[in-house]
Amino acid sequence: NLGNDLPDYLYVFIGDAADITEQAVVIDSTCSGSGLTLLDSFGPLDLVSYMNCKGDYDCFVDVDYKYLVTNGGSVDFTITELDRTLNGESVDLLVDANVPDLVLSPAGMFMKSEQVEVGRCMDDVVYTNNVTVVAEGSDTRECMDDASYVFRVDVGTLTPTEVPSFQPSPIPSLAP
């Protein structure tokens, strides 16, 4: 239990506004038996992260996106829109952009980065990130492009594991 930093058992009392206990839950933190697994339920509580001597375990991870806009044309252009929609949530990626950085000469580039928290404990979840960029050329022509990035979450083992062994393990030998 993390070098005796925790008591062997955690007692959690869930009550109402008048401090009347509605439910009491006991969580075994001795690391014996099957141990803790992400998404274990303890009454009305679900375990979504924990830390032990082997590391941090969390149902949520950060994904880093980098959006690169390049000018492949022969005239300067100014980026007027750069939006992304991730699973229905739209964000204007130009909110804090430095306006001079949005003017791209031929072969010029603009990059925007963002970090998004995604869940990894729900099986078969698909994350779809649609990105659209609109720019206006110095010759007043408008240019637009879009891209989609898709990845799927497949839940693997949610508990800390040692180096995997092949299943079934071979029968132990009597020879040295």
Side-chain angles (χ1 to χ4, degrees):
N1 65 9
L2 197 56
N4 296 325
D5 288 344
L6 291 174
D8 288 343
Y9 297 94
L10 303 172
Y11 299 91
V12 179
F13 299 95
I14 300 157
D16 61 13
D19 287 333
I20 297 174
T21 299
E22 299 286 336
Q23 188 169 15
V25 178
V26 179
I27 301 172
D28 181 353
S29 62
T30 61
C31 295
S32 62
S34 63
L36 296 174
T37 302
L38 291 176
L39 297 183
D40 276 351
S41 290
F42 303 94
L45 306 174
D46 291 327
L47 181 64
V48 294
S49 71
Y50 66 94
M51 177 177 49
N52 67 15
C53 57
K54 294 181 182 178
D56 294 342
Y57 300 90
D58 201 324
C59 277
F60 303 96
V61 294
D62 291 329
V63 173
D64 293 322
Y65 283 103
K66 293 188 184 334
Y67 309 98
L68 180 65
V69 179
T70 59
N71 181 353
S74 58
V75 298
D76 290 355
F77 72 70
T78 303
I79 301 169
T80 57
E81 293 178 38
L82 180 59
D83 302 308
R84 72 102 171 120
T85 302
L86 177 62
N87 286 12
E89 177 193 347
S90 295
V91 172
D92 178 355
L93 296 170
L94 297 181
V95 168
D96 293 322
N98 186 5
V99 174
D101 293 340
L102 300 178
V103 179
L104 302 181
S105 59
M109 296 183 287
F110 172 79
M111 187 170 73
K112 175 68 177 182
S113 300
E114 75 169 333
Q115 196 171 67
V116 179
E117 184 178 77
V118 300
R120 69 174 192 96
C121 293
M122 295 136 312
D123 206 8
D124 202 31
V125 173
V126 176
Y127 288 92
T128 303
N129 189 359
N130 297 306
V131 183
T132 302
V133 62
V134 177
E136 185 175 305
S138 57
D139 59 1
T140 68
R141 286 188 295 170
E142 188 173 82
C143 180
M144 186 184 107
D145 199 5
D146 58 11
S148 291
Y149 306 95
V150 179
F151 66 94
R152 177 181 308 279
V153 174
D154 293 318
V155 176
T157 303
L158 296 177
T159 58
T161 60
E162 300 300 323
V163 176
S165 63
F166 295 98
Q167 297 294 329
S169 298
I171 297 173
S173 168
L174 296 176

